[in-house]
Each structure stands twice: as C-alpha cells, then as structure tokens.
Amino acid sequence: MKNIVVIGAGKIGSTIARLLAHSGDYSVTVADRSKEQLDQIEKHDAISVAEIDIGDHNALVTLLTGKFAVLSAAPFHLTIAIAEAAAAARVHYLDLTEDVESTRRVKAIAEQAETAFIPQCGLAPGFISIVANDLASRFDTLDSVRMRVGALPQYPSNALNYNLTWSTDGVINEYIEPCEAIVEGHLIEVPALEEREEFSLDGVTYEAFNTSGGLGTLCETLKGKVRTLNYRTIRYPGHAAIMKALLNDLGLRHRRDVLKDILENALPSTTQDVVIIFVTVSGRREGRLVQETYANKVYSSVIAGRMLSAIQITTAASICAVLDMLAHSELPARGFVRQEEIRLDAFLASRFGHHYEQKSNAEKMAS
C-alpha cells in the first residue's frame, strides 16, 4: 500500500480518492480546509481525512512527510504552495492545473527537487497532449496539430448551453488568460474566446474557440517542428458570444468573484455529460501529405458502484493512471515530467486509463 495525499475534497478530489482506494493498492488521505466537504468523503478503510489550511506551509509539509505522493485537485491559485511543500517533504507531486504561469513555477521548483513533479495530469491539459504526441510521432515531418476538447451536458437547457461540470475557477481562468499557440512556426500568445470555428461530429454541430492552458507544455516540445499548433475548447453554438458579453461588455473579467457567484447560482451541475476529445494531426510520411485523427466521446457511467460524470471519470482516471505508472517505475522518479513523455498505449492499458475506452462510444479514425 502506497500512502497518498489528495488535496481538495471537491468532486474531482473525492473521485480520485475513491478510484485509488477501490484499487486496493493505495491508502489515501484527503486534505481540505472545509469540514463540510470532508464530511461528504466516502467512508472507506483506505480513506482518511485531514482538515488543514493549505496556506500553512509547515502543517502541509508535516502532513506530506513520509508519503509516496501528493495529488493536487485544489484551485489553481494553491498550486505553488502545494508544490513547494511537496519539494520540502521529498514526495512526488502531481496536479490538474491548467494555469500556464503556475506550471512554469512548478517546473522551476522541480529543477531542485529530489522527486518527480508531473503537473497538468487531467484531461486538457493532460490526456490530450498524450494523444497529440502519439499521433505526431507517426510522421516524418509535421504540418499541423489541432486539439479540441469539451465537457458538455448531454441535454443543454439554457442560453449558455452549458452546465457546471468541473471547477468554476478553472473555467473562468481559461476564458480570460492568454493562450499559447504556434502560428506559421512561431510560438505566440492569442486571446481567449477568439478564433471561433464550427464543426460537426456524429451529426451534432459544435463551436470551438481559444482557451488557455489546454496545450500544457506541448508548445515547448514541438516548437520548431510544426507549422500550426493550437488548442480550442468545444461548446454548443452560442456559448462564446454570451461569455464574451459577460466578460467584456459587462466587465466581469475584472470581477471574477462576481462571475463565479453568478455561474454557480445560475447553472446547475449534472452527471449527464459527455466529454469530447478531437485531435487532428497532418504532416508528411514517406513524401506524402497525410492526416490522422483521434476522436472519442466519453459518457457518464457507473464505476465501483457509483454514477460518475464524464468529466469526473476522465480527469480523475487520468491523474490516477499517471500515478500508477509512476508507482510502477514506468516514469522518471525525479525532475519535471511532461505529459507528452507518457506513452498512449501504456496509459490506455493501465487499470485507470482504460476508462477512456468506452468501446461503444470511442472512435478512432485515420484518413
């Protein structure tokens, strides 16, 4: 049994703890400052809770000391405090952050650390980079890598065509912060919510637009090797226009707390969701211009006796799969580890990664 600390007792943190505990190989301590949240954690012999202020560095280091790893499912603004405590306690560190600046600081911390630091282990960033790098590795030279991901309600019923399926802070952050992209071979920043496009998949029309953080470290990895690289979030048509009005016309980009309150009190959560993953890579192979596409839909389903939303499944399964690979010495045990260093076949073959392969829904296409 490896001892793990999961920071954050919300929907994703509790799901991570549940998956790990039910595997039989991990003893999990869930840490949060909210007693109310901790009281809702599943009662299980392999799960304990710790009420702690993450801002208390010494208390956090004490909690982490002697553990195998810490997994952060906390809001992105707590990332650095947790990473610093992990380095001090000499434990492995994994997180789910989409925040670009936080990841840069984690990378700096990892340079002096004695353990592995693996940020961005969720869906996007995370699994999407593993898929994109796997497709890209099949080409002699690359032309374009286009990554699209969306977590959507199966039955949209409001003007935004959206339900809250994960961190409200994370959604707001990715709609506001600048987005990295490679355009005509140059690494640049592009504005969020712009460059909107429409496409159809399985007869349903979607829109996609720039959002921050989804590329992870892939821009650095493929810089100088690809002409076009971008990441866009998938929504139902009409969503981007309303969000731009809220953020720009009403000025809520400067009042994130107000926007968060509005969204959380107006948009219900749902477990009836679908995660769409759509990656297209083109380039030269044996002198010919070729395109390959990975398309996958993951739906909410029952796992270990409990109904979980698609975003819970994909996010929690991803970080658990990476942890499992680390525990089995399939990943470097020291330093900064990028998502694109993880092999797709090994990820999907793991007991947690296989949740991405709902056989009736997954579709991989090559043309």
Side-chain angles (χ1 to χ4, degrees):
M1 297 281 282
K2 292 191 180 297
N3 294 318
I4 307 297
V5 175
V6 174
I7 306 291
K11 292 179 182 178
I12 302 301
S14 60
T15 304
I16 293 168
R18 194 164 193 276
L19 291 181
L20 293 177
H22 280 265
S23 76
D25 292 327
Y26 297 97
S27 177
V28 185
T29 300
V30 182
D32 201 298
R33 68 179 181 180
S34 170
K35 183 178 184 303
E36 181 181 1
Q37 291 272 59
L38 291 172
D39 287 343
Q40 297 178 34
I41 296 296
E42 176 187 1
K43 301 300 185 288
H44 190 285
D45 289 344
I47 299 177
S48 59
V49 298
E51 187 175 345
I52 185 174
D53 180 1
I54 304 306
D56 186 336
H57 178 76
N58 292 333
L60 185 55
V61 171
T62 298
L63 176 66
L64 299 184
T65 298
K67 305 298 194 296
F68 177 73
V70 57
L71 280 57
S72 174
F76 70 91
H77 57 80
L78 295 175
T79 297
I80 303 308
I82 299 169
E84 290 175 340
R90 298 181 176 84
V91 301
H92 298 301
Y93 169 88
L94 298 84
D95 73 35
L96 298 169
T97 189
E98 80 293 334
D99 187 63
V100 175
E101 185 55 38
S102 295
T103 301
R104 288 171 181 160
R105 293 187 61 186
V106 169
K107 183 179 180 182
I109 293 169
E111 290 176 358
Q112 305 300 323
E114 299 177 15
T115 53
F117 276 64
I118 317 177
Q120 304 180 318
C121 295
L123 168 63
F127 180 72
I128 189 73
S129 293
I130 298 172
V131 170
N133 195 60
D134 179 77
L135 290 180
S137 68
R138 305 176 192 178
F139 292 81
D140 298 327
T141 59
L142 290 173
D143 180 68
S144 67
V145 178
R146 305 177 193 275
M147 303 152 65
R148 309 288 183 262
V149 172
L152 302 169
Q154 292 186 51
Y155 311 107
S157 59
N158 54 59
L160 276 170
N161 289 317
Y162 189 68
N163 291 88
L164 289 176
T165 54
W166 68 293
S167 164
T168 311
D169 289 309
V171 170
I172 293 171
N173 192 58
E174 71 176 18
Y175 283 1
I176 292 176
E177 295 300 318
C179 316
E180 290 185 325
I182 294 177
V183 178
E184 296 299 332
H186 300 288
L187 176 57
I188 64 171
E189 287 189 343
V190 295
L193 288 173
E194 298 297 337
E195 300 186 274
R196 179 184 174 277
E197 63 189 24
E198 285 196 1
F199 70 96
S200 293
L201 183 63
D202 297 335
V204 180
T205 300
Y206 302 98
E207 67 179 19
F209 46 84
N210 297 336
T211 53
S212 176
L215 283 172
T217 56
L218 204 56
C219 268
E220 291 180 24
T221 300
L222 294 182
K223 183 180 178 182
K225 300 176 182 178
V226 66
R227 182 177 63 85
T228 299
L229 171 64
N230 55 48
Y231 171 87
R232 290 172 188 164
T233 287
I234 300 169
R235 297 287 184 256
Y236 293 114
H239 181 90
I242 296 175
M243 288 308 306
K244 287 173 74 172
L246 291 171
L247 291 169
N248 301 331
D249 297 344
L250 299 184
L252 294 183
R253 68 169 51 248
H254 306 297
R255 304 177 67 188
R256 294 193 188 193
D257 56 335
V258 175
L259 179 58
K260 180 180 179 180
D261 183 67
I262 291 171
L263 294 177
E264 291 188 341
N265 285 284
L267 298 179
S269 62
T270 183
T271 57
Q272 295 175 299
D273 62 336
V274 56
V275 164
I276 302 170
I277 307 161
F278 193 62
V279 182
T280 300
V281 178
S282 66
R284 296 279 174 179
R285 184 185 300 149
E286 297 179 352
R288 297 179 57 210
L289 183 62
V290 180
Q291 175 179 299
E292 287 201 23
T293 297
Y294 174 101
N296 192 0
K297 288 185 178 180
V298 180
Y299 293 85
S300 54
S301 63
V302 176
I303 295 178
R306 179 173 296 183
M307 175 62 75
L308 299 177
S309 69
I311 192 64
Q312 283 178 293
I313 294 169
T314 51
T315 305
S318 187
I319 196 170
C320 289
V322 176
L323 173 68
D324 227 23
M325 295 175 75
L326 179 65
H328 290 94
S329 302
E330 296 176 43
L331 295 175
R334 182 170 184 169
F336 187 78
V337 181
R338 303 170 189 263
Q339 291 299 309
E340 52 268 29
E341 294 178 41
I342 300 170
R343 290 181 19 244
L344 178 62
D345 58 350
F347 179 98
L348 293 175
S350 73
R351 55 181 161 178
F352 300 113
H354 86 275
H355 291 303
Y356 272 86
E357 295 198 305
Q358 296 179 348
K359 289 183 174 59
S360 61
N361 302 316
E363 180 183 13
K364 298 176 184 178
M365 303 173 293
S367 58

